[in-house]
Amino acid sequence: MNFIPIEDRVLVKREEEVTKTSSGIFIPDSAKEKPQRGEVLAVAKKVEEDIKVGDTVVFSKYGAVDLVLDNEEYVVLKVEDILGVIKNK
């Protein structure tokens, strides 16, 4: 994949959708919501200081632009649509 975000954009791979609850109940497709978090795969030069490749970010539900590259689904976000970075301890 050769995608380089421009301006203040970030390419994110969404986390997998949850298909069953922690108690074992399967969630039907009609009730699923797309996750609002994912792993950063590429960042524009303007945002390299704040967000890095490999970070896990939480983003706004309505700010994401869905993109398919090489039969894989990704999300392109403006930095303003990223709510925060999840740091592992």
Side-chain angles (χ1 to χ4, degrees):
M1 175 201 46
N2 285 328
F3 183 86
I4 301 169
I6 59 171
E7 292 295 320
D8 61 345
R9 291 177 176 81
V10 177
L11 179 70
V12 174
K13 175 74 172 164
R14 243 188 241 269
E15 285 188 349
E16 295 294 320
E17 293 181 50
V18 176
T19 57
K20 81 176 175 180
T21 64
S22 58
S23 60
I25 298 172
F26 285 94
I27 302 170
D29 288 339
S30 60
K32 289 182 187 174
E33 285 192 29
K34 289 187 176 184
Q36 290 174 254
R37 95 187 226 184
E39 180 183 356
V40 175
L41 299 180
V43 296
K45 289 186 180 187
K46 283 187 178 181
V47 297
E48 285 179 330
E49 291 179 20
D50 298 326
I51 299 171
K52 309 227 179 312
V53 171
D55 283 348
T56 299
V57 294
V58 177
F59 52 88
S60 170
K61 184 184 294 189
Y62 303 107
V65 175
D66 294 324
L67 178 68
V68 177
L69 297 169
D70 299 330
N71 295 323
E72 291 283 331
E73 292 184 21
Y74 301 96
V75 177
V76 178
L77 302 160
K78 284 189 169 191
V79 168
E80 64 193 36
D81 294 322
I82 295 175
L83 305 174
V85 177
I86 298 173
K87 297 289 184 181
N88 294 329
K89 293 182 179 181

